[in-house]
Amino acid sequence: MEHQELTGIFRKLIDANSKFVLTTHVNPDADGLGSELALSRFLGKIGKECVVINHSETPANHRFLDHDNEIRTFVPERDKDLVLGADVLIALDMNNPGRLRSLEKYFLESPATKIIIDHHLEADDFVDYKLIDLDSPATAEIVYRCLAAYDTNLIDKSIAEALYAGLMTDTGSFRFPRTDGEVHRIVGHLLDLGVDPFYVYHNLFEENSLGRTRLLGEMLSTLDLAYDGRVSYASISLEQLKRNNVVPDDVDNFVNQAGAISGVIMTLFFLELDDGVKISFRSKGETPVNELAKLYGGGGHKNASGARLTGVKLGDAVRRVLADASQILTK
Ligand code: 5GP
Ligand code: MN
């Protein structure tokens, strides 16, 4: 969608309504959380009623973004009437209702006007408006455009910090292919508003537990290659997580460490959960890992995707996905 059309629809929907509920995907990241916090703070400033409700608790290293405890973790008995009674529901950084988990039922049932603001491929049809920009490196960038077009003077430091966190993480600290001059111009504006890059980076990436860093070492020491060194893969078992006192959210960035090897164009990272296996897919260049993720009901971007296999043993998941990877490599 063209920027002007997108920001125009945004303005109309904001002006025509007063009660908003914002949400993001299960296992939220800084882009989902930052986008919803920025939008919520902005809506508050223009006198709208706005609540942020997520299925998942905010991961510990992201809590600094929610310094005023604006985010609720969904409790159906307490919060369902907010979802059912809102004028507008906005799901950020996601395009598939299943990723709402416990909120899905109420989101779909609600008579509210429903919107997604997102940058992922292949959105499902479950909303009235899809404010999607596939060229955007982060949902936070789309939110920035919407807010700046609405009234740029209302973007303050706390809105800027939330947007910066989303932009920084989804661009891999401003290095992924979609990081263009426009991203840096936006970031320039956010820094002018007082955002401290060190503070944001430090909280997100340098406040790890000893257990997490040791677990990273365990993963790296079992990392392996396949397909003549074009694929790297690694896994972490539930036993390793528990022994190191680490929760699944804490291993989000491990996949990138597993791929930083010369000659590797695809990386598979398997994380054993209580009820199955979460798989993270990464690639370099033209290898479309989202097509591999789709085989298991997942999705994402060409170079970064995810999926979950339920009721599957870790070793079986590794063997199955490694075998299926040949379909993508030969494309
Ligand atoms: P990650 O591997 O960091 O969890 O996810 C990488 C990308 O894939 C993100 O853009 C995320 O939105 C997407 N993704 C992760 N898991 C899923 C999933 O289960 N379903 C879909 N549709 N996308 C996913
Ligand atoms: Mn995102």
Side-chain angles (χ1 to χ4, degrees):
M1 191 184 282
E2 289 292 319
H3 293 161
Q4 242 180 336
E5 185 190 355
L6 193 154
T7 57
I9 295 172
F10 175 83
R11 175 189 293 275
K12 276 195 199 128
L13 289 166
I14 299 306
D15 284 342
N17 293 285
S18 54
K19 281 194 283 184
F20 295 78
V21 170
L22 313 185
T23 189
T24 187
H25 51 84
V26 58
N27 301 125
D29 58 5
D31 193 29
L33 295 164
S35 294
E36 57 183 4
L37 284 168
L39 181 51
S40 168
R41 288 168 188 163
F42 192 91
L43 291 174
K45 284 181 97 165
I46 58 172
K48 306 290 180 181
E49 271 180 54
C50 185
V51 192
V52 182
I53 311 177
N54 294 338
H55 165 80
S56 304
E57 266 186 48
T58 304
N61 61 331
H62 291 67
R63 282 187 204 138
F64 73 100
L65 291 170
D66 186 19
H67 37 74
D68 295 328
N69 293 317
E70 291 165 74
I71 299 177
R72 295 180 182 223
T73 305
F74 188 53
V75 177
E77 309 78 67
R78 184 192 65 194
D79 302 321
K80 73 176 191 311
D81 289 341
L82 286 166
V83 178
L84 296 172
D87 297 333
V88 177
L89 299 175
I90 308 181
L92 293 124
D93 197 41
M94 52 161 281
N95 62 19
N96 165 307
R99 303 197 80 215
L100 292 168
R101 296 289 196 274
S102 60
L103 259 100
E104 179 182 8
K105 171 177 179 308
Y106 303 99
F107 189 100
L108 296 178
E109 262 176 32
S110 173
T113 300
K114 293 161 199 166
I115 306 173
I116 52 176
I117 303 182
D118 188 42
H119 65 136
H120 295 96
L121 298 164
E122 295 172 339
D124 281 346
D125 272 318
F126 69 109
V127 293
D128 303 293
Y129 296 92
K130 296 178 187 172
L131 304 185
I132 293 178
D133 181 355
L134 296 177
D135 295 326
S136 189
T139 299
E141 188 196 51
I142 309 173
V143 172
Y144 173 87
R145 282 188 211 291
C146 290
L147 304 187
Y150 194 98
D151 185 350
T152 192
N153 294 318
L154 291 179
I155 302 177
D156 60 21
K157 182 182 170 187
S158 108
I159 293 171
E161 181 179 274
L163 293 172
Y164 178 85
L167 264 165
M168 186 193 76
T169 53
D170 264 32
T171 56
S173 301
F174 311 109
R175 74 188 199 280
F176 292 159
R178 282 180 290 177
T179 311
D180 56 11
E182 184 60 12
V183 169
H184 283 282
R185 279 185 285 278
I186 292 170
V187 167
H189 181 202
L190 301 178
L191 296 194
D192 287 345
L193 290 166
V195 173
D196 178 347
F198 178 80
Y199 173 79
V200 176
Y201 186 93
H202 177 77
N203 275 286
L204 286 172
F205 297 122
E206 298 177 335
E207 288 277 354
N208 303 310
S209 65
L210 177 62
R212 182 193 181 275
T213 301
R214 284 189 169 148
L215 184 61
L216 175 62
E218 289 186 28
M219 182 207 74
L220 292 174
S221 64
T222 56
L223 182 60
D224 219 336
L225 298 178
Y227 296 102
D228 299 325
R230 285 180 295 158
V231 175
S232 63
Y233 64 98
S235 58
I236 288 179
S237 69
L238 209 49
E239 182 278 322
Q240 287 178 300
L241 273 183
K242 292 193 171 151
R243 178 165 40 77
N244 288 293
N245 203 14
V246 172
V247 294
D249 281 339
D250 287 347
V251 304
D252 261 4
N253 273 301
F254 282 22
V255 62
N256 299 319
Q257 308 277 343
I261 299 170
S262 184
V264 166
I265 57 168
M266 187 196 299
T267 302
L268 308 170
F269 174 59
F270 301 84
L271 178 65
E272 188 178 26
L273 305 170
D274 284 322
D275 58 348
V277 178
K278 177 178 189 277
I279 312 158
S280 289
F281 306 84
R282 297 291 185 272
S283 69
K284 295 166 196 160
E286 293 306 312
T287 308
V289 280
N290 57 309
E291 290 188 17
L292 189 53
K294 265 199 274 176
L295 296 179
Y296 317 110
H301 312 278
K302 186 171 78 181
N303 299 124
S305 298
R308 273 157 201 266
L309 289 173
T310 41
V312 179
K313 290 212 180 79
L314 185 58
D316 293 338
V318 174
R319 277 185 289 278
R320 182 170 153 196
V321 179
L322 260 184
D324 290 340
S326 66
Q327 297 175 32
I328 305 298
L329 287 167
T330 52
K331 280 203 175 176

